[in-house]
Amino acid sequence: MSWDQGSAALLLATLIAFVHGWSTGSLIISLFRSSGGSRRVTCAVVLGGLTGTVIGGRFVTHTVLFGETVSAEGMMSVLTITFLLLFLGSVTAIPISYSHVLVFAVIGEILGSGRPIGLQSVLYLTMGWVVGPFLASGLTIATHASMRRFISNLDILTVNAINRLSLYAVSFFMTYVVTGNNMGFLASLLKGIEWPVAHLLIALSWVLGAFFPGRVIWDYIAERVVRVSPQSVFTAAVGSSATMLLFLHLSVPTSISHYILASAALLPLQASLHVIGWRAVFRVVAWSALTSVLGLFAAWILRVS
């Protein structure tokens, strides 16, 4: 990749990071503030975003899924398509998954070049995208039950202190694994730009995006999918983050919003099916699938044309 191509790719990557922070970073901040968090949660998110991308994302690599099969020109197409679709989703409040769009665009570019997708790639993506949401939901339900038993024997002041400390710890942990997984994968696509330069620039751009005002996916979940208690928010965050940590170590980009959506939707099943807005859940899934396929075909067409 030439210097001009490398600079353009880095610019596109930082723009993607900004939009990702705009949607996912603000999701995390909104998520924990809605459950009683303070401005210190924002500080935890900033610290998590910086350390997660630079440290947690250092060893995340796209070669686990795709090897060294994407050309410099193809990577420019992939990054451009990803940015445009993410930006469209952010300005229209349409729930779009960054990880799905990016990975499907890479797949489209590879298929357009006439190369096959390996069985390992299909297996890993199936684990992260199909099994992952159910794993996150299972961990959420188990954590929720354990937490209720634990706090039932504590006094109010102790419970309040634990809640506050947990908010800061979990908001940092969630941001760390999200940025390590998603932004680390993004940085690995930039050929010729070594760690920590690309990771640090992407981290700073992500943090700036997290403070950009706008509607976030958590607003959509809270208004149309299900209303959950602060304790449920906490347990959904723990279950989703623990699941994402697994795929961080596997270098498989996954969607924290989908994990939270699945956890928030399935946790109330212990009580009632009627509190869940299933139409809204299906709408999120449909938009994610549609934009992912759109990204795949756009990259494929640019490759073969």
Side-chain angles (χ1 to χ4, degrees):
M1 182 179 290
S2 67
W3 172 253
D4 288 341
Q5 286 180 325
S7 300
L10 179 60
L11 175 61
L12 282 171
T14 55
L15 289 174
I16 291 171
F18 180 88
V19 178
H20 187 276
W22 184 10
S23 58
T24 304
S26 54
L27 154 69
I28 299 173
I29 293 174
S30 176
L31 181 70
F32 287 101
R33 282 190 174 178
S34 70
S35 59
S38 67
R39 293 185 182 275
R40 294 178 183 176
V41 167
T42 304
C43 296
V45 169
V46 170
L47 184 60
L50 293 173
T51 57
T53 304
V54 178
I55 299 175
R58 179 179 182 181
F59 299 106
V60 175
T61 173
H62 69 282
T63 58
V64 170
L65 292 178
F66 304 116
E68 296 290 352
T69 57
V70 183
S71 65
E73 294 76 12
M75 193 59 66
M76 289 295 296
S77 299
V78 167
L79 295 176
T80 301
I81 291 167
T82 302
F83 169 70
L84 292 176
L85 287 175
L86 283 182
F87 183 77
L88 174 66
S90 295
V91 298
T92 58
I94 294 174
I96 293 177
S97 169
Y98 150 85
S99 57
H100 289 62
V101 169
L102 177 61
V103 168
F104 268 91
V106 174
I107 291 174
E109 200 280 333
I110 293 174
L111 294 177
S113 66
R115 297 186 299 272
I117 301 298
L119 179 61
Q120 176 178 298
S121 301
V122 175
L123 177 62
Y124 275 18
L125 291 174
T126 300
M127 289 171 54
W129 294 358
V130 179
V131 179
F134 293 98
L135 177 59
S137 300
L139 290 174
T140 295
I141 292 173
T143 303
H144 187 72
S146 300
M147 184 177 176
R148 291 185 64 178
R149 286 196 298 268
F150 175 71
I151 66 176
S152 63
N153 298 319
L154 302 177
D155 60 84
I156 295 177
L157 291 178
T158 303
V159 170
N160 184 58
I162 291 175
N163 283 340
R164 288 184 177 277
L165 290 174
S166 299
L167 282 174
Y168 306 142
V170 176
S171 58
F172 170 82
F173 175 54
M174 172 178 271
T175 312
Y176 182 92
V177 297
V178 168
T179 53
N181 179 290
N182 288 176
M183 296 299 96
F185 188 87
L186 176 64
S188 76
L189 297 173
L190 302 176
K191 299 179 180 179
I193 306 176
E194 301 297 332
W195 182 91
V197 176
H199 291 74
L200 183 58
L201 291 175
I202 286 173
L204 292 173
S205 185
W206 188 91
V207 169
L208 289 175
F211 290 98
F212 200 76
R215 183 178 175 82
V216 297
I217 187 64
W218 177 248
D219 299 324
Y220 186 90
I221 294 174
E223 292 174 9
R224 304 188 186 184
V225 178
V226 63
R227 294 189 180 277
V228 294
S229 66
Q231 290 77 19
S232 298
V233 170
F234 170 80
T235 53
V238 171
S240 300
S241 300
T243 304
M244 201 160 196
L245 179 63
L246 168 64
F247 294 106
L248 165 63
H249 290 295
L250 293 175
S251 291
V252 179
T254 55
S255 173
I256 193 68
S257 58
H258 285 188
Y259 289 172
I260 291 176
L261 176 64
S263 299
L266 296 182
L267 184 60
L269 288 179
Q270 302 175 98
S272 173
L273 281 169
H274 301 292
V275 299
I276 303 171
W278 289 107
R279 182 177 298 179
V281 174
F282 294 142
R283 182 171 180 264
V284 171
V285 174
W287 272 115
S288 179
L290 177 63
T291 52
S292 299
V293 173
L294 179 60
L296 184 150
F297 276 104
W300 180 81
I301 289 172
L302 288 176
R303 180 64 180 181
V304 300
S305 60

